[in-house]
Amino acid sequence: MQLRQGLRVLRRAADEVQVGLDPRWAVRVAGLSTERADRLLRAGDRRVDDALPAPALDALGAAGLLRPAGSRPRRVRPDLRPEVLAHGLAREDGDGVGAVRRRARSTVAVVGLGRPGVVVAGTLAVAGVGTLVLVDPRPPGPGLPAAAAGGAARAGADDGARTPDRATAVAGSLRGVAPGARVRTAPGPGGLLTDPHDVVVTVATDAPDPATALTLLGADVPHLPVVTREADALVGPFVRPARPGDDPLCCLRCLDLQRAAADPAWPVVLAQLVGPRPGDAVAEPPAALAAVAGGLAAAEVLAHLDGGEPRTLGAQYEIPVPSVAPRLRRWAAHPECGCAAPGA
Ligand SMILES: [Zn+2]
């Protein structure tokens, strides 16, 4: 047997070694001779089963820190090693390489490239998602992060003097930071249904567009809304086609039906939130809120692509300024929505 990859191995005493730092799996291996403690500290990819006494191997095995010796490490791009190592340790099956390879075969669209959308797209590209489709016809605005503004300058240089739209600008910056990702742009969310997408992330101000959500729901496309408001952000619910054995899970329309039940004026308010904003100001969230909301949204998408369960299935992260500490709020499916009906 060998130690799993990505573990820190540390000396605690002459006869004691600690394997792992994360309290989910870290173990202390005590009662070793100095020579055996040294061998464990230098184990790397070498076998440990002929170097350690049975109780030490039992402790490492019980903590899930061993893998069969001699299994050839599977090759991945060096820039994806952080994903492989951390996800390999955290996953039950230990297969970080398999998870990253699934990401490479995946296509994710990001609709709305303000600050949080740029964080979502950039994080997914760097985390190994194979194809990103970017949708935002607006011109690059002053709220766009510096990296994307650099992309705008490059895209503009490629395209003569014409100012590129925001999707083209962000695509230019992503090709710089994640050369392994295929990045293309699409004119609008309607065009997303012509090609298969594994997930569509919609990023909006004030409220997600119910029409887009309904279109994606009707087409069985997994989707995740991100919304920023005056001083908070909402991420979720993650909506995907129901699987056998699922409890009924809410969709965006379920949330609107529940809000309307609690506040009869909600449809009137919602119509204003998704319509044109007064004046021409497009509110961008503060930087730390955009980073946290965008990062959480990207993690939800990756959980789905990696074969896991996003935490916002049937729930929503609420992220308030100034702490930007997320709170997970659960929402039930609304009985009149029909989205979670058997066979839906
Ligand atoms: Zn619903």
Side-chain angles (χ1 to χ4, degrees), residues 36-227:
R36 283 180 153 168
D38 286 343
R39 285 184 70 171
L40 183 54
L41 281 163
R42 294 194 309 265
D45 275 339
R46 286 188 287 276
R47 298 177 70 106
V48 292
D49 40 353
D50 53 358
L52 293 176
L57 285 171
D58 289 347
L60 290 169
L65 301 185
L66 297 177
R67 63 191 166 111
S71 50
R72 258 219 219 127
R74 291 183 289 168
R75 286 182 175 277
V76 288
R77 294 202 323 253
D79 59 305
L80 296 177
R81 271 182 66 77
E83 305 292 325
V84 168
L85 294 179
H87 285 274
L89 285 171
R91 289 175 65 85
E92 252 176 45
D93 64 7
D95 188 10
V97 174
V100 166
R101 287 187 175 168
R102 274 194 296 279
R103 294 179 189 178
R105 296 190 293 271
S106 301
T107 299
V108 178
V110 181
V111 181
L113 295 162
R115 286 176 167 179
V118 170
V119 173
V120 174
T123 305
L124 294 177
V126 171
V129 171
T131 303
L132 283 150
V133 180
L134 306 180
V135 181
D136 197 330
R138 295 174 295 171
L144 212 57
R154 277 197 297 278
D158 293 346
D159 199 20
R162 194 163 64 83
T163 305
D165 65 23
R166 201 174 272 226
T168 307
V170 176
S173 87
L174 289 194
R175 291 186 189 111
V177 296
R182 290 174 296 279
V183 187
R184 50 192 168 83
T185 61
L192 297 176
L193 302 180
T194 52
D195 292 324
H197 287 80
D198 296 281
V199 184
V200 173
V201 182
T202 62
V203 187
T205 308
D206 294 335
D209 175 28
T212 302
L214 214 55
T215 304
L216 295 169
L217 183 74
D220 281 344
V221 179
H223 53 282
L224 175 71
V226 178
V227 170

Side-chain angles (χ1 to χ4, degrees), residues 250-251 253-254 337 339:
C250 66
C251 73
R253 185 158 175 267
C254 290
C337 180
C339 66

Side-chain angles (χ1 to χ4, degrees), residues 6-7 19-27 59-60 63-65 86 89-91:
L7 292 166
V19 180
L21 279 177
D22 191 308
R24 287 176 289 180
W25 49 71
V27 290
L60 290 169
L65 301 185
L89 285 171
R91 289 175 65 85

Side-chain angles (χ1 to χ4, degrees), residues 108-112 116-117 120 199-214 216-217 221-229 232-240 250-256 259 270 274 290 292-301 310-319 328-329 331:
V108 178
V110 181
V111 181
V120 174
V199 184
V200 173
V201 182
T202 62
V203 187
T205 308
D206 294 335
D209 175 28
T212 302
L214 214 55
L216 295 169
L217 183 74
V221 179
H223 53 282
L224 175 71
V226 178
V227 170
T228 57
R229 304 189 294 191
D232 73 353
L234 304 172
V235 176
F238 193 99
V239 181
R240 59 153 165 75
C250 66
C251 73
L252 265 177
R253 185 158 175 267
C254 290
L255 268 61
D256 281 332
R259 287 188 174 117
L270 178 62
V274 299
V292 171
L296 281 172
E300 292 292 276
V301 172
R311 296 196 71 203
T312 54
L313 281 171
Q316 201 172 43
Y317 281 121
E318 299 174 334
I319 311 162
L328 193 65
R329 176 177 181 181
W331 287 86

